[in-house]
Amino acid sequence: MGTARGTTGQKAGPGRPRIPGGRDGRRMLAVAFVDRVGSGLWASVSVLYFTYVSGLSVTQVGTLAALAGAVGIAGAPIGGRIADRLPLTRVLIALQLLRAVASLGLLTTDHYALLLAFSALGSLGDRASSVLTKLYATRVAGPDRVRYQALNRTMANAGWALGGLGAAAALALGTTAAYRWLLLGDALSFVAVALLTLRCGEPASSSRTVATSTTPAPARPANPWRDRPYLAYVATETVLFLDDAVFKVGLPLWIAHAGSAPHGLAPLLLVLNNVMVVALQVPLARFGTTTAAARTLLLPLSLAYALGGITLALSATGGALAATVLLTAAAASFTVAEMLHATVSWELSVALAPDTAQGAYLGVHGLAQSAQRSIGPLAVTAAIATGPAGWAVFGTGIALTCVIQHRMVRDRLDPAPLSVAPVTVSEH
């Protein structure tokens, strides 16, 4: 891995935590924070905006969200492929400006076709920029990429929470102007992110080095679409990302339609999830800083998923107090699973990809999370419709997938135990 321009020789001062990637690493963490503040402003009110400001029906809003999400799925592989050929920071800047244009475009019209087009552009840019931010971490942080991604996720969650609080305060006004200001704030956050990215150095890229090499007949970069073992790995990743649907759809619906827990518990469990991620993601990342360690984490990860599903099933069998305690335990278990999987996924998705086509491979890996956004709601609603046993099957099914992935990646990984040079992740 190359060192990003402007980061060489930087050392943390006494007692100051070292940020992987140096100055550029810190700037990209600021990018993650600002990006998610803007997203937090908009994500929690988008449905309300389209309903009350744009005047769309429930069916129109649902269709718009579904179609925009479907277009967004293409963002990950397209962005990854482009980033293997062009400077990564320039592609990121272009994507952020695309997202800003899409958000501003929503302010200019109530025409359904245009709202759909702008929403689709925003979704495309969002999924592509998410994958390329991970690619930037892979290139700039080198052996510390897992720790950097943990810091990135912590900053993103903190930004999301701050944006959500801002949205809640604005919604208290209940005016059309308040909704428009939130959307404008989202657009401006992307402009700010583009300006921050302008100051980031361009990290070294093996794929671009190969593409621009003057040696005769350079090797053709690997194609992830023809790499069946990697595609099988991505398929298992789609299942492991289902924890996202548990918090966004599963828990609220389960609390509303089953058991005796108070309905007000649902948003509190989302807060618990956010707080746990901010507090624990970086410490837990220490257990997955090598490829071998990340693969080993798949086994405790399977236990966390199984425990979450079984606890959710048991929550329907007691009174209000027991249900509240069990639902809280289930939310905590799925949050631990979310954090462990994030650590495992960051390392294995890179370790399984050839250096000369990291962007293309990570782009295909990004399809797992995108596909989950469509499959996830169906999976959790099926579990709810089945009753308590459905949750037990849901959790143990994901747990079994963890075990399958643990075995699947064994033969694919380099015989050497590490995908990167052995290092000790230090706070200093």
Side-chain angles (χ1 to χ4, degrees), residues 43-300:
S44 58
V45 302
S46 59
V47 171
L48 299 176
Y49 178 91
F50 290 129
T51 301
Y52 297 117
V53 179
S54 300
L56 304 184
S57 67
V58 173
T59 301
Q60 286 177 316
V61 172
T63 303
L64 184 147
L67 291 177
V71 173
I73 291 176
I78 291 174
R81 180 69 72 175
I82 293 174
D84 276 339
R85 290 162 170 75
L86 300 175
L88 179 55
T89 50
R90 295 181 188 177
V91 179
L92 274 170
I93 291 168
L95 287 171
Q96 300 299 356
L97 293 178
L98 174 66
R99 296 169 76 191
V101 168
S103 294
L104 290 173
L106 293 174
L107 283 170
T108 66
T109 182
D110 291 331
H111 191 279
Y112 188 70
L114 291 176
L115 290 174
L116 175 59
F118 287 129
S119 296
L121 280 177
S123 180
L124 190 76
D126 176 70
R127 298 312 307 151
S129 63
S130 178
V131 167
L132 297 193
T133 299
K134 177 180 178 180
L135 180 59
Y136 189 95
T138 299
R139 292 177 178 175
V140 76
D144 285 342
R145 60 176 175 249
V146 171
R147 172 174 163 77
Y148 180 86
Q149 284 282 21
L151 289 167
N152 182 283
R153 193 162 190 264
T154 300
M155 294 296 290
N157 273 267
W160 189 277
L162 182 60
L165 290 174
L171 286 179
L173 299 176
T175 65
T176 298
Y179 286 109
R180 294 188 182 279
W181 277 110
L182 289 173
L183 182 51
L184 179 61
D186 185 38
L188 292 177
S189 73
F190 300 139
V191 175
V193 164
L195 293 175
L196 285 170
T197 307
L198 271 174
R199 302 185 62 197
C200 293
E202 178 66 27
S205 165
S206 298
S207 57
R208 290 185 62 224
T209 300
V210 169
T212 58
S213 174
T214 57
T215 58
R220 187 174 184 178
N223 185 344
W225 297 106
R226 297 178 180 175
D227 191 334
R228 292 183 180 179
Y230 195 84
L231 292 176
Y233 163 71
V234 172
T236 61
E237 283 285 87
T238 303
V239 178
L240 268 57
F241 274 118
L242 287 175
D243 59 83
D244 182 66
V246 171
F247 284 98
K248 290 183 177 178
V249 180
L251 280 172
L253 284 179
W254 184 245
I255 290 171
H257 297 286
S260 52
H263 291 183
L265 181 64
L268 295 179
L269 294 181
L270 290 175
V271 172
L272 173 66
N273 170 262
N274 191 267
V275 170
M276 287 183 65
V277 170
V278 171
L280 300 176
Q281 184 69 75
V282 173
L284 284 177
R286 293 172 176 271
F287 298 103
T289 54
T290 69
T291 304
R295 177 174 174 264
T296 300
L297 273 184
L298 283 165
L299 300 179

Side-chain angles (χ1 to χ4, degrees), residues 13 21 28 31 64 77 113 120 126 138 154 159 185 201 224 232 262 314 331 350 372 400 427:
M28 288 304 291
V31 163
L64 184 147
D126 176 70
T138 299
T154 300
L314 293 174
V350 175
Q372 182 281 141
L400 178 60
E427 291 290 333

